[in-house]
Amino acid sequence: MVDKQEMKAMIVSILEEMTDPSSTESATKVVEKPINKQEEATVKEATEEVLEDITQIDIRKQFLVPHPADREGYLKMKAKTPARLGLWRSGPRYKTQSMLRFRADHAAAQDAVFSYVSKDLIEEMDFIEVATKCKDKDEYVTRPDLGRQFDDENIATIQQQIKGTPQIQVIVGDGLSSAAIEANIKEILPSIKQGLKMFDLDYDEKAVLFIKHARVPAMDKIGELTKAEIVCYLIGERPGLVTAESMSAYLAYRPIVGMPEARRTVISNIHSGGTPAVEAGAYIAELVSKMLQHKKSGIDLKEVE
Amino acid sequence: MAETMLSVGIDLGTSTTQMVISKLTLSNMASAFTIPRIEITAKEILFRSEIIFTPLKAQNEIDIEKIQHFLDQQYRLSGVQRAEINIGAVIITGETARKENARSVLQGMSGYAGDFVVATAGPDLESIIAGKGAGAQEYSKQQHTSVVNFDIGGGTTNIALFHDEDLLDTACFDIGGRLIRIEQQTQKIIYIAPKLEQVIVQEQLSLRIGQVVSPADLKPLLKILVAVLENAVGLGEKNPYYELFITNKGLKLPANIVCVSFSGGVADCFYKELTDPFLYGDIGLLLGKELCQSKLFREKKVIVSKETIRATVVGAGSHTTKVSGSTITYTAAALPLKNLPVLKLSKSEETGTQEIICQAIKEKQQWFEVNQESQMIALGIEGYANPTYQQIAHLATAIVSGFSAAIARCDPLAIIVHLDNAKALGQAIFSRLPLDYPFVCLDGIQVENGDYIDIGMPLIQGSVLPVVVKTLVFE
């Protein structure tokens, strides 16, 4: 058995070798004289070193090919796509940093699905919180049918809290990305509100519903329960490797359970690298006014345009 | 959802006048699930007019009646009604733009070339337009290379350098095919451009008005002109007259130019049989022949131009119009807007406090005040890549307070944003303006101080506006 002291010394020497391969001499010194103070200092120094956050690197500007024939040409091509081009090695032997970045982005995507929108944000925004029939994230992922239904208790909450028949009912749902809601909702809601004013319209910001474990067709049930003329539903999109913060807006004129999908109008790709949330909100406001004017949504609305 | 618009291009050059009518196709390039992105996806030339010599009353005066008559006739031939034209550009180029009556010609033209037609001039813009019309920009994009286009007309040579689609620089030289005019029958010189007179004096050449000349007499002069054009792209030893022939500026970076292309009337003279050297009553043919022997042909890759003598007019008709759409805000009452000078906020002003933005707008408006009389201006800003609601609200408040004087006069406001902010910013501005106040807020258009902008009537159910950004320089 190696005792504790020896173990520490070994770690120290390994760490030192890693930082400076020529310093085997000093490493042996540490082993010879395992003075507690010095040893702690070395360990601390090694652990305090902060690794560069690889997710902060802009993939569109990262170019790993060592001697390119036309660097500028390649970078110009890369600027047009978020795809991982110019990684130098591909297939089963990516470079370490490409591999780590891929896994970091994948982890962010998974986190976005399996995390919840923070209570603080829901409170701050004064949302009315309800939940679908899903018990937890696992059930949410495996049972899409439950993600569009509400139990009696939640139905009662909705009916109590939403009074009268709103012309425009705004809903927020975590969907497949809580990160998307956290990143965009504070910017998009005031923008929708401001935009609606241009058309003499408004929604009640005290009556915005927040749905936990939400699927898109949950809006149909809300439509039925509130009898709203327009349901405007902001929901986290299935995250990908490009971004985990992309949000969609689904809008429908008098949605009902079982209506064709073609009656939904969707604006997707709302995130910092796509359509900015503020700009999307402005566009949604105009869309709402068009829907009210034509009393239609989805494909039907496209046809009258 | 493709829709088309008709665009007219009219080129009043030093030597020739012509027009083209093009059909521009607009389509939504975004997927069905995102905000539409309307782009010009196809350009087709429907009609090319005859090419006439620009009618002049005297040496310095363009004959506007004759031009109007010509345009009337060409419209009839094209079968297109003037009222059908959505947008376009009149380009007065080269020496013609410096004629005394260029401004009044522009005014006379605007009624004659469709309901919404803009007027443009200036050597830089002409170089760009000709380069685009000649296909140099497209070639540089397709081949990922650098191309210099020489548009050699009657009075000037307009040069544009493109690299992989990007415009890098422009230049202009007072070199062209009609700097010396010669009576075809008698072979007598009837006109010599002032800069050439200088060269003739210094080189002690025996060339003067009234003299009968042969191609051999003109050779030394042509060699100088060609040497200057070689110099323009960094070839050969610097000619002592290089500086003399510069109209406004030369190219800053003549290194690394791989390809050259030629347009303008002189480009048509390269491969013509030289049966009568003075067929056109000028030195154009001889200049073309001399260029064929030059270092430009020996040391650079010469690519074939899409258009030669029509490059500028095709460029004016097909390549000047942009569209700004989908995420814009405007009130229809404000349109169309013509010839608005652009006032661009600097980066530090734009990111400053509301006070700074407001103050900057107020000060810059004063630049355009002539005799206490205020002029409408277009405000250019960069915008935010991913704005917060607060940033937009802040900007809107500052803009509205900066324009308080204009608002009191009920002048329409025009805000041109580069990044995708115009819908939200427009709505924010709307909420801060008096009810139904006329204004336009566009994005996706980059403008600079010194530019002028025209905004046409809405297209595609009002979702997009055609825009022409131009530089009007008469000096």
Side-chain angles (χ1 to χ4, degrees):
Chain A
M1 285 287 279
V2 194
D3 73 11
K4 211 178 167 189
Q5 232 16 274
E6 262 181 81
M7 187 73 139
K8 267 192 182 171
M10 264 171 71
I11 293 168
V12 170
S13 79
I14 290 165
L15 280 171
E16 282 204 353
E17 266 173 53
M18 278 169 72
T19 48
D20 182 7
S22 66
S23 70
T24 35
E25 205 188 352
S26 67
T28 36
K29 261 185 201 162
V30 180
V31 181
E32 277 167 11
K33 290 199 280 175
I35 302 160
N36 268 351
K37 237 185 183 176
Q38 192 189 342
E39 170 191 310
E40 260 176 28
T42 329
V43 172
K44 212 176 172 190
E45 204 177 81
T47 50
E48 253 188 13
E49 212 177 320
V50 179
L51 278 173
E52 204 184 336
D53 182 356
I54 50 168
T55 62
Q56 293 303 308
I57 299 167
D58 183 351
I59 282 191
R60 290 180 193 228
K61 292 185 183 139
Q62 186 188 41
F63 185 47
L64 304 175
V65 177
H67 303 291
D70 184 359
R71 173 179 296 274
E72 276 174 35
Y74 208 132
L75 281 169
K76 202 166 175 178
M77 191 164 73
K78 273 175 68 68
K80 293 189 165 71
T81 171
R84 283 152 216 259
L85 302 179
L87 299 184
W88 181 230
R89 290 206 297 265
S90 61
R93 40 196 293 276
Y94 292 122
K95 293 187 88 165
T96 308
Q97 58 171 318
S98 307
M99 196 61 212
L100 288 175
R101 178 61 190 268
F102 183 89
R103 295 188 60 171
D105 289 343
H106 190 239
Q110 285 191 315
D111 283 354
V113 176
F114 288 98
S115 64
Y116 286 98
V117 173
S118 79
K119 287 276 168 209
D120 294 348
L121 181 66
I122 294 168
E123 263 170 43
E124 186 192 334
M125 301 300 290
D126 226 349
F127 292 152
I128 300 161
E129 192 180 355
V130 290
T132 63
K133 283 186 177 170
C134 304
K135 296 192 301 290
D136 52 32
K137 285 284 180 187
D138 280 333
E139 191 170 67
Y140 170 73
V141 170
T142 51
R143 293 287 305 272
D145 56 328
L146 297 181
R148 59 176 75 171
Q149 297 171 32
F150 298 93
D151 60 19
D152 293 343
E153 197 187 325
N154 277 289
I155 288 174
T157 311
I158 295 164
Q159 284 175 326
Q160 275 164 25
Q161 299 282 329
I162 312 290
K163 294 173 188 82
T165 50
Q167 187 180 33
I168 301 157
Q169 175 64 47
V170 175
I171 324 173
V172 179
D174 51 6
L176 283 157
S177 171
S178 295
I181 299 303
E182 305 227 335
N184 298 303
I185 206 73
K186 270 192 196 169
E187 306 306 331
I188 201 168
L189 286 178
S191 177
I192 294 174
K193 201 167 180 68
Q194 169 183 270
L196 286 173
K197 272 191 203 138
M198 191 160 170
F199 307 98
D200 267 328
L201 298 168
D202 204 359
Y203 72 86
D204 183 358
E205 73 253 55
K206 299 280 173 217
V208 175
L209 284 171
F210 175 82
I211 308 174
K212 191 164 86 172
H213 297 144
R215 290 277 175 183
V216 172
M219 72 190 287
D220 305 348
K221 188 69 191 171
I222 305 290
E224 282 191 357
L225 291 171
T226 61
K227 299 192 173 52
E229 207 172 348
I230 300 276
V231 173
C232 171
Y233 188 12
L234 304 162
I235 184 167
E237 261 175 28
R238 183 189 308 276
L241 291 167
V242 174
T243 175
E245 295 182 346
S246 187
M247 187 175 79
S248 284
Y250 284 83
L251 294 102
Y253 185 80
R254 293 200 190 284
I256 48 163
V257 175
M259 73 172 189
E261 290 298 316
R263 277 188 50 201
R264 291 184 223 286
T265 297
V266 59
I267 301 298
S268 68
N269 210 28
I270 304 168
H271 60 96
S272 59
T275 301
V278 175
E279 195 67 355
Y283 185 79
I284 288 166
E286 192 182 68
L287 209 51
V288 166
S289 93
K290 267 190 205 164
M291 286 181 180
L292 285 169
Q293 185 195 336
H294 296 290
K295 301 192 184 301
K296 283 183 169 72
S297 57
I299 299 290
D300 299 338
L301 183 69
K302 281 223 159 116
E303 278 172 0
V304 295
E305 273 189 311
Chain B
M1 198 187 59
E3 196 166 304
T4 58
M5 64 173 166
L6 291 180
S7 161
V8 65
I10 298 169
D11 176 17
L12 290 174
T14 313
S15 47
T16 61
T17 290
Q18 44 183 325
M19 75 176 270
V20 294
I21 296 173
S22 338
K23 185 167 82 176
L24 308 181
T25 305
L26 304 172
S27 325
N28 177 17
M29 298 303 283
S31 86
F33 306 113
T34 52
I35 293 176
R37 193 179 68 246
I38 314 283
E39 287 177 11
I40 295 172
T41 50
K43 297 165 182 172
E44 184 196 346
I45 296 167
L46 296 182
F47 176 77
R48 293 160 192 261
S49 78
E50 296 164 32
I51 300 168
I52 57 162
F53 278 116
T54 300
L56 298 174
K57 273 182 186 163
Q59 205 61 261
N60 289 328
E61 204 185 340
I62 294 172
D63 189 337
I64 192 162
E65 282 87 25
K66 277 195 182 154
I67 287 172
Q68 287 175 340
H69 176 74
F70 168 72
L71 292 176
D72 275 340
Q73 187 191 21
Q74 297 304 317
Y75 266 116
R76 271 199 303 281
L77 286 173
S78 73
V80 175
Q81 299 297 315
R82 266 189 254 150
E84 295 174 64
I85 302 289
N86 298 97
I87 199 156
V90 179
I91 311 284
I92 299 195
T93 55
E95 288 199 314
T96 321
R98 281 170 258 152
K99 306 279 188 225
E100 277 75 355
N101 60 347
R103 244 174 229 279
S104 64
V105 168
L106 285 183
Q107 273 155 13
M109 300 288 293
S110 60
Y112 256 82
D115 179 48
F116 188 78
V117 165
V118 296
T120 312
D124 296 326
L125 190 67
E126 192 200 342
S127 300
I128 300 166
I129 287 172
K132 288 176 176 176
Q137 185 181 34
E138 204 179 323
Y139 187 90
S140 77
K141 180 188 174 185
Q142 281 169 359
Q143 305 293 322
H144 303 289
T145 186
S146 54
V147 182
V148 165
N149 184 61
F150 290 83
D151 188 79
I152 311 174
T156 54
T157 295
N158 286 90
I159 298 176
L161 166 59
F162 297 97
H163 179 76
D164 201 356
E165 201 184 4
D166 298 333
L167 172 80
L168 296 189
D169 202 4
T170 62
C172 189
F173 291 84
D174 288 324
I175 292 176
R178 291 179 76 76
L179 295 182
I180 294 181
R181 294 218 292 275
I182 293 146
E183 208 172 55
Q184 208 189 330
Q185 276 87 32
T186 59
Q187 307 213 334
K188 273 185 189 166
I189 296 178
I190 50 175
Y191 170 78
I192 300 175
K195 284 190 179 176
L196 280 192
E197 295 266 25
Q198 277 188 50
V199 176
I200 290 166
V201 170
Q202 284 190 27
E203 292 291 305
Q204 297 175 335
L205 299 171
S206 59
L207 294 168
R208 62 187 185 280
I209 290 173
Q211 188 190 335
V212 176
V213 285
S214 70
D217 297 333
L218 292 162
K219 192 95 177 173
L221 206 52
L222 293 169
K223 280 206 177 302
I224 290 170
L225 298 181
V226 168
V228 170
L229 293 181
E230 288 171 346
N231 290 168
V233 289
L235 292 176
E237 257 176 61
K238 195 157 184 183
N239 190 282
Y241 298 105
Y242 176 81
E243 306 290 338
L244 171 72
F245 282 104
I246 291 176
T247 312
N248 60 341
K249 62 182 171 69
L251 287 181
K252 281 190 295 289
L253 36 137
N256 277 331
I257 293 162
V258 182
C259 307
V260 291
S261 62
F262 295 92
S263 60
V266 172
D268 278 331
C269 302
F270 291 163
Y271 309 108
K272 276 215 176 98
E273 282 292 316
L274 205 59
T275 45
D276 176 359
F278 302 120
L279 181 66
Y280 303 112
D282 57 32
I283 56 168
L285 268 172
L286 293 172
L287 181 60
K289 290 289 160 201
E290 197 64 40
L291 272 168
C292 277
Q293 311 295 321
S294 72
K295 289 193 173 76
L296 291 168
F297 273 72
R298 292 199 305 271
E299 295 179 22
K300 300 284 179 192
K301 184 180 172 193
V302 177
I303 59 167
V304 179
S305 304
K306 287 205 153 163
E307 297 285 342
T308 52
I309 194 165
R310 293 184 198 268
T312 304
V313 74
V314 165
S318 305
H319 299 282
T320 51
T321 304
K322 295 171 184 171
V323 289
S324 173
S326 299
T327 57
I328 56 174
T329 317
Y330 65 90
T331 50
L335 298 171
L337 292 169
K338 298 182 197 183
N339 276 333
L340 295 188
V342 170
L343 178 164
K344 174 107 188 242
L345 292 184
S346 69
K347 196 76 213 158
S348 62
E349 285 166 347
E350 199 181 319
T351 51
T353 61
Q354 281 188 6
E355 286 291 289
I356 291 173
I357 298 172
C358 173
Q359 208 47 45
I361 294 172
K362 281 190 172 153
E363 270 168 30
K364 290 185 181 188
Q365 274 172 286
Q366 285 166 4
W367 298 354
F368 291 95
E369 270 177 26
V370 186
N371 307 326
Q372 309 289 308
E373 217 175 294
S374 54
Q375 197 190 345
M376 257 195 77
I377 55 143
L379 178 71
I381 51 175
E382 194 57 28
Y384 298 94
N386 187 39
T388 64
Y389 179 74
Q390 270 316 311
Q391 284 170 325
I392 292 292
H394 165 94
L395 198 53
T397 307
I399 289 171
V400 171
S401 62
F403 279 111
S404 56
I407 292 165
R409 289 191 304 269
C410 253
D411 281 351
L413 299 189
I415 320 293
I416 317 296
V417 195
H418 181 210
L419 296 168
D420 187 8
N421 298 163
K423 191 118 198 154
L425 182 63
Q427 290 175 352
I429 290 172
F430 176 88
S431 70
R432 288 162 175 80
L433 284 173
L435 194 65
D436 293 328
Y437 192 87
F439 80 104
V440 193
C441 188
L442 301 179
D443 59 23
I445 304 275
Q446 202 170 6
V447 288
E448 292 302 332
N449 280 320
D451 288 346
Y452 283 71
I453 191 165
D454 296 276
I455 305 164
M457 296 304 282
L459 298 163
I460 313 193
Q461 289 91 38
S463 66
V464 295
L465 297 174
V467 176
V468 175
V469 180
K470 59 206 177 139
T471 312
L472 263 177
V473 183
F474 285 97
E475 282 68 49

